[in-house]
Amino acid sequence: MAGRVSGLLHGGIIWDPELNHGLKEWSKVGSPDIKHRSVDGNSFIVVEGRNRSHDSVSQKIYLEKDKLYTFSAWVQVNEGEHPVRATFNTSSGLRHAGITTARSKCWSMMKGGITVDTSEDTHLYLEATNASVQLWIDSVSLQPFTREEWESHQVQSVEKARKTRVRIAVLDSQKRPVRNASITIQAKATGFPLGCAMSKNILTNTAYQNWFKSRFRLTVFENEMKWYSNEAAQGREDYSVADAMMKFARQNSISVRGHNVLWDDPNMQPRWVKSLPAAALWKAVWNRVNSVMGRYKGQVIGWDVMNENLHFSFFEGKLGQDASGSAYQFATAADGRTTLFLNEYNTIEEPGDSMSSPAKYIQKIRAIQAYKGIHKNLGIGLEGHFRVANIPYMRSAIDTLGSLGLPIWITELDVQGGPNQVRYLEQILTEVHSHPRVNGIVLWAGWRPEGCYRMCLTDNNFRNLPTGDVVDRLHRQWGWMPLNGMTDSEGFFEASLFHGNYSVKVMDAPDELMQSLSDDQVFEVGPTESEESGPVEIVTNVSS
């Protein structure tokens, strides 16, 4: 019993997570040889004689549908480096919970998580895609959390990362406190960017324009800044549509992300690019980088320099392994003051995708950083095209990427259609907003009359769909909702406000002061250096 209690404390619901009791509760998957080994007091499992990727060890675990589970384990292989996944065998099929790159001669930590739709017995096992290597496993943990516990952590994280306590002092013209005065605080701009993609249809549709500019101060052009849109024929550049969209954004104080400079998918190149020999392609790439980045330099807040560079390798295949690093060098020279992103999908969406796992993403970023002069301005772009909402895995993936200390943006967030789309969207947005390492979110919901890419926020009459209602509600909750209050006996009003710019207006006061109320006063709320410093004090004068 004592061993079981110890396991629950340190490994959650995993039996004997430190493997101090041999192979008890662990069984074979397939027909490998499994051994219990100890080196310098550290015990672990060795799986050898493997013939298939899923030849491994397994432990039976009961998962509950209303809980969220965080997973971790240390893994190693006996030679080379290979992807290793954590997988649960459930009644609805195999569910991946995490993935990392395991190496020889050192332990690699895998982090992840899982939720299930049905409470049931499952089997956890770890699989190495290369069936010829030994798999070593140690310190396995599966920690359960209730929804209430998880949401409580989100609220705490938002309070710490996104908000600051302020104390507003209302004073009269003699610097005396105004007691029992009603005040209204209204956000003018929030510190956390939430935007949405726009399509070229916005140029000719007034209803679309009004719907968009009433909600968003951040956008990305869906297709209009891509190479195949700007140079369909070699040497014949056309930025007319992108220019018009940029003008609309500028006139309405909407910030723009630059998407994208280059796309590594061979099917997303201008037709003429595919047949170019290497020397001509190098020149075309250089021209493309300087053309689009030179044209919009100073007008965008970030550039997706290389799009989907982990899943595809068109430029590497044509130009060699220096293609990515060289593209970022060209981009740094063209607009080095703007953050340069690597933009990729499935890093936070799919824990089973070995091509774009957090470990692979970090490996690619570090390879790009090794090129001279570009390490300071890189950013992490995570597309966020979700099928389901594996919230624990999302958190673990962003945690891992956050270790790089680079800006992290969710750049193309949408959720596949279906009965759970709205619920998943709200869960995903709430989790991402609560993570302190995330700097902004862009929704991939550019409106088109024939239908959006995967997720629309509005119908063709610009009435909100349920997805749009979720976005509007969260947007209000994240700082746009007016806050009303009353000063206390010393003339103060205290509140926790999201970072951003605010106006404060004294709505009423004792009769003798009503004639001297001033106009709205504006103040800014930002992060503080220390949680112990107390609320930030803001003075509002009722002037004569």
Side-chain angles (χ1 to χ4, degrees), residues 77 92 94 113 127 130 175 211 221 251 260 317 338 340 368 419:
V77 290
S92 59
L94 300 180
E127 59 177 2
N130 187 326
K175 306 301 180 185
W211 178 87
F221 303 165
Q251 289 175 337
N260 55 56
T338 303
L340 309 178
I368 294 170

Side-chain angles (χ1 to χ4, degrees), residues 1 10 54 134 165 197 218 313 342 345 366 504 530:
M1 182 63 181
H10 300 291
H54 63 267
Q134 294 180 10
R165 290 205 68 80
L218 169 67
S313 56
L342 178 70
Y345 66 91
R366 286 176 173 162
V504 58
S530 171

